[in-house]
Amino acid sequence: MKKLLNKPEDFVDEMLDGIYRAHPEVTHVAGDLRCYVTAAPVKGKVGIVTGGGSGHLPTFLGFVGKGMLDGCAVGGVFQSPSSDQILQVTRHVDQGAGVLYLYGNYTGDIMNFDMAGELAEIEDIQIRTVIGNDDVASSVVGEEHKRRGVAGIFFIYKAAGAAAARMLPLDEVARLADKVRGRTRTMGVALSPCIIPEVGRPGFQIGAEEMEIGMGIHGEPGISREALLPADAVVDRIMDRILAETDYARGDEVAVLVNGLGATPLEELYIIFRRVSQVMEGRGVKIRHVWVGEFATSMEMAGASVSILHLDDEIEPLIAAGAQTPFFRHFGE
């Protein structure tokens, strides 16, 4: 293992300490560095809380800020945060309008968020939950509830955050978040493994000339392992799977996220977007919003994912709205 760290067991807390020192607009509560919150909660606004394992920056905590999220419970690398950490964050971000829980579809996260939500409701904090499940590779049509939440959760954060910033009520923020969830699809490809600091060795092996289509962000198995193809062919495989589940008509609009998994150069991500754009042009679908970069990584894994959100007149203004966090800036339209 070759990493720039001190003790592997201090990796997460030292990372968080660095973020707090660099970005005073976020802070922590309850004496716990892993209870990560905005330093300026807005009275009367719905609070939005996310959470999950470290190792995916900027997901999850990187999207806490103006126009997006209000708090994040931070787990160890690829580990869920505790229910107590989630509850502490919930208490801080509740400003009288209730709290939306918004996180990925992983068993540990579900269990701990459910427990925290029950405890919060005992304290008269209203809770609603939306669970991201955008990864088309992780389950078949008809069993979408089994799908993992991956990079497409960015779109749900963006829409929910904009809705809350409009001071909409909790049920409406949750409805809009769930609508975006249902209209988002993601699929990725992995080219290399990653190393969890406290483990010190790769979590899986993949050949130098191989790729795995559909691998999850924790190294969960994909749908096929095969010889590495040219970029356009890889994107076509991804887009075929995403488009098989959509009903785009000519003239429809989408938002596109091309996400690097941690060790993929930005140049390669733009080669990927080039092909995504060509595919959508061929279908007569307009790409209204584009983000290319690292949004949900897997430590130093090489690879990328493509997320597509089907826009409509209700969702598009939420995606277009401005936002500002330590890891994301959008000036809005």
Side-chain angles (χ1 to χ4, degrees):
M1 179 174 69
K2 184 181 286 185
K3 291 180 179 290
L4 292 171
L5 49 75
N6 295 306
K7 297 178 180 179
E9 60 269 27
D10 295 334
F11 176 78
V12 173
D13 290 336
E14 290 186 350
M15 172 269 294
L16 288 167
D17 188 26
I19 291 174
Y20 294 132
R21 290 171 183 269
H23 301 289
E25 63 269 38
V26 291
T27 187
H28 61 282
V29 294
D32 188 340
L33 291 172
R34 302 188 185 197
C35 295
Y36 182 105
V37 297
T38 177
V42 178
K43 292 293 184 184
K45 186 185 81 68
V46 169
I48 305 177
V49 172
T50 191
S54 298
H56 303 302
L57 276 178
T59 294
F60 302 89
L61 58 87
F63 300 119
V64 171
K66 294 180 180 178
M68 293 191 81
L69 310 177
D70 298 283
C72 177
V74 182
V77 176
F78 297 178
Q79 299 174 8
S80 299
S82 71
S83 59
D84 183 66
Q85 289 166 331
I86 297 166
L87 180 60
Q88 295 293 348
V89 172
T90 303
R91 287 169 173 160
H92 177 82
V93 308
D94 176 46
Q95 299 296 307
V99 174
L100 173 65
Y101 285 168
L102 178 49
Y103 57 93
N105 192 20
Y106 299 95
T107 301
D109 294 336
I110 292 170
M111 179 179 68
N112 289 335
F113 269 93
D114 282 352
M115 188 179 304
E118 291 174 2
L119 294 171
E121 288 184 332
I122 291 172
E123 299 178 13
D124 294 324
I125 301 173
Q126 293 185 74
I127 301 294
R128 300 292 184 272
T129 297
V130 173
I131 301 175
N133 62 337
D134 52 303
D135 183 5
V136 301
S138 52
S139 189
V140 298
V141 174
E143 296 186 351
E144 289 88 350
H145 65 284
K146 296 180 180 179
R147 289 180 172 176
R148 301 179 291 248
V150 286
I153 200 171
F154 163 80
F155 289 135
I156 316 178
Y157 289 162
K158 185 72 189 61
R166 292 180 176 184
M167 306 302 284
L168 296 179
L170 178 59
D171 285 340
E172 184 68 357
V173 174
R175 181 189 71 81
L176 290 164
D178 192 58
K179 182 176 180 179
V180 172
R181 177 205 59 77
R183 296 168 72 95
T184 300
R185 299 290 186 275
T186 299
M187 189 167 174
V189 57
L191 307 182
S192 73
C194 62
I195 298 172
I196 297 174
E198 290 193 68
V199 176
R201 61 182 183 276
F204 61 93
Q205 298 294 329
I206 188 167
E209 302 299 325
E210 289 184 320
M211 64 178 183
E212 185 151 349
I213 298 284
M215 177 170 280
I217 58 174
H218 306 103
E220 300 96 335
I223 58 176
S224 68
R225 181 172 292 199
E226 55 197 82
L228 180 62
L229 297 171
D232 285 359
V234 174
V235 174
D236 288 348
R237 294 280 300 278
I238 289 171
M239 293 300 290
D240 285 348
R241 187 69 178 257
I242 291 175
L243 293 172
E245 298 193 11
T246 57
D247 56 353
Y248 299 136
R250 298 188 71 84
D252 280 0
E253 295 184 335
V254 298
V256 173
L257 178 74
V258 176
N259 170 63
L261 294 177
T264 300
L266 196 56
E267 291 87 346
E268 295 178 26
L269 298 182
Y270 276 99
I271 290 172
I272 291 171
F273 175 72
R274 166 189 169 275
R275 185 58 176 172
V276 172
S277 178
Q278 290 174 342
V279 171
M280 299 310 273
E281 285 176 4
R283 288 179 168 252
V285 175
K286 179 181 178 181
I287 298 177
R288 182 72 178 269
H289 301 285
V290 179
W291 285 281
V292 178
E294 291 184 342
F295 291 80
T297 62
S298 185
M299 296 296 293
E300 75 275 40
M301 185 185 292
S305 64
V306 176
S307 300
I308 310 289
L309 166 62
H310 191 180
L311 299 170
D312 66 8
D313 291 342
E314 185 174 46
I315 293 173
E316 195 281 329
L318 302 175
I319 299 301
Q324 180 175 329
T325 82
F327 290 76
F328 178 73
R329 301 286 193 278
H330 183 62
F331 293 106
E333 297 181 357

